Amino acid sequence: MQSTPTAGFTPETPLILGMMRLHDHPELTRPARLADWIAARLDDGLNVFDHADIYGGGECERLFGDALRTHPLLAKNVRVITKAGIVPANQDRSPWQVKHYRAEAGYLARAIDRALASLAVDQIDTFLIHRPDPLMQADDVARALENAVSAGKVRQIGVSNFLPEQWRWLARNTRLPLVCNQSQLSLGHTDPLFDGTVEAHLADGLRWLAWSPLGGGNLAERMPADVLDRAREETGLDETALAIAWLHQIPGTPLPVLGSMNPDRIHSALHGAQSVLPRPIWYRMLESVRNKAVA
């Protein structure tokens, strides 16, 4: 498998802006207001925006695209990640009305075309299969993704929520490198640090894109107040920045996919991504949220 140190993302990418909750912000549903928000993030040095076809029932991609259509020059400066392959129960057109996965060649090819139209971009920077599908025919899916890359519709491909053997099977069936796996990792979800999953990403050259990097935003509830207060005092970082700094120090530099659209929270996360924690603080935070010392 092809491996690169940055796995499709440059070292200058400090974090990714998640668009899952875009439709929950009425003030940003107007194209001009959202365009201003996007421009401000570009001024912050953040140009990677994470989408999926099911976010907001498709509304998040459409709203983002409407903003880019309002200010077409923005589209030349943004990098868009999007995902497909999940069918929620309320979108299942069969009589069963069941949530299911569709990592199928034709379905993903059509999803890519829909995303290009919705997002108003000429190319999807990174396209991900949203969930591993037990029924996926890897060779057929690989051909569809290769065709999308050859046609210039997609720059690079990856996966989301895949386990090592699941992404390795897809990788064996395609000549394209898988550049990333978007999966959960944070102080609130540390199992991958101890079960070999982090090392599997490193060995196979996949960059970890960490969703829910703030662990649901409740670090203060998970960590004893005296530990959090001391870490704040010694580092000068707030709760958000501490969580991001902690994540960034894991080998391979996992990229946080920040779900907040609040500029203050984004600036705190950016500060954290540019900070280094002393090793004792990193471990003290780890043992505090796990409620046990390392062996």
Side-chain angles (χ1 to χ4, degrees):
M1 183 183 302
Q2 184 174 332
S3 174
T4 62
T6 58
F9 296 91
T10 68
E12 291 76 27
T13 305
L15 56 89
I16 293 168
L17 296 163
M19 299 290 101
M20 183 173 67
R21 298 188 181 95
L22 172 57
H23 65 298
D24 292 332
H25 295 265
E27 72 279 9
L28 295 179
T29 58
R30 286 187 290 157
R33 287 289 301 275
L34 181 55
D36 289 343
W37 184 91
I38 294 170
R41 304 291 75 79
L42 294 175
D43 289 342
D44 291 333
L46 303 173
N47 68 341
V48 184
F49 300 83
D50 179 76
H51 285 271
D53 62 348
I54 62 169
Y55 291 170
E59 279 295 286
C60 295
E61 286 189 340
R62 183 191 64 78
L63 290 169
F64 196 85
D66 287 346
L68 295 187
R69 278 183 278 268
T70 300
H71 291 275
L73 290 179
L74 287 178
K76 299 182 183 301
N77 296 304
V78 302
R79 295 173 60 188
V80 173
I81 298 169
T82 197
K83 304 174 286 292
I86 299 176
V87 179
N90 63 2
Q91 294 180 23
D92 178 15
R93 296 180 180 177
S94 81
W96 295 95
Q97 292 288 288
V98 62
K99 180 180 180 179
H100 60 283
Y101 303 141
R102 290 199 63 179
E104 300 172 272
Y107 182 87
L108 295 179
R110 291 189 296 273
I112 289 170
D113 288 339
R114 286 195 302 269
L116 288 168
S118 295
L119 291 162
V121 294
D122 294 330
Q123 184 182 65
I124 295 166
D125 185 86
T126 313
F127 180 78
L128 312 180
I129 300 175
H130 205 160
R131 287 275 177 179
D133 179 357
L135 299 179
M136 181 179 73
Q137 297 294 333
D139 52 349
D140 292 339
V141 166
R143 298 296 85 73
L145 297 179
E146 289 167 359
N147 290 340
V149 171
S150 296
K153 298 178 180 180
V154 171
R155 186 174 77 88
Q156 57 187 10
I157 64 169
V159 293
S160 180
N161 302 298
F162 275 50
L163 296 173
E165 289 308 314
Q166 293 170 330
W167 78 58
R168 286 169 182 159
W169 177 238
L170 177 60
R172 284 184 60 183
N173 282 275
T174 177
R175 61 180 181 271
L176 297 174
L178 302 181
V179 300
C180 61
N181 181 32
Q182 186 173 134
S183 191
Q184 187 176 12
L185 183 64
S186 70
L187 268 166
H189 185 74
T190 61
D191 288 351
L193 298 179
F194 301 96
D195 63 11
T197 309
V198 167
E199 290 77 10
H201 284 75
L202 295 170
D204 291 357
L206 274 71
R207 190 75 174 273
W208 196 310
L209 310 187
W211 60 261
S212 193
L214 304 180
N218 58 354
L219 185 58
E221 298 175 11
R222 296 174 179 270
M223 188 176 296
D226 61 325
V227 175
L228 184 56
D229 289 343
R230 185 176 176 185
R232 286 169 169 159
E233 182 178 349
E234 290 193 17
T235 64
L237 302 176
D238 65 13
E239 178 182 326
T240 294
L242 281 169
I244 297 298
W246 183 91
L247 182 67
H248 246 248
Q249 280 176 239
I250 296 170
T253 318
L255 275 174
V257 182
L258 190 70
S260 175
M261 300 190 71
N262 182 300
D264 291 337
R265 179 68 66 86
I266 292 169
H267 292 152
S268 289
L270 187 56
H271 188 194
Q274 296 165 340
S275 303
V276 178
L277 297 179
R279 187 173 286 234
I281 293 179
W282 192 94
Y283 272 98
R284 186 67 180 92
M285 292 172 67
L286 173 67
E287 70 176 15
S288 294
V289 296
R290 297 181 75 226
N291 200 29
K292 64 178 179 179
V294 294

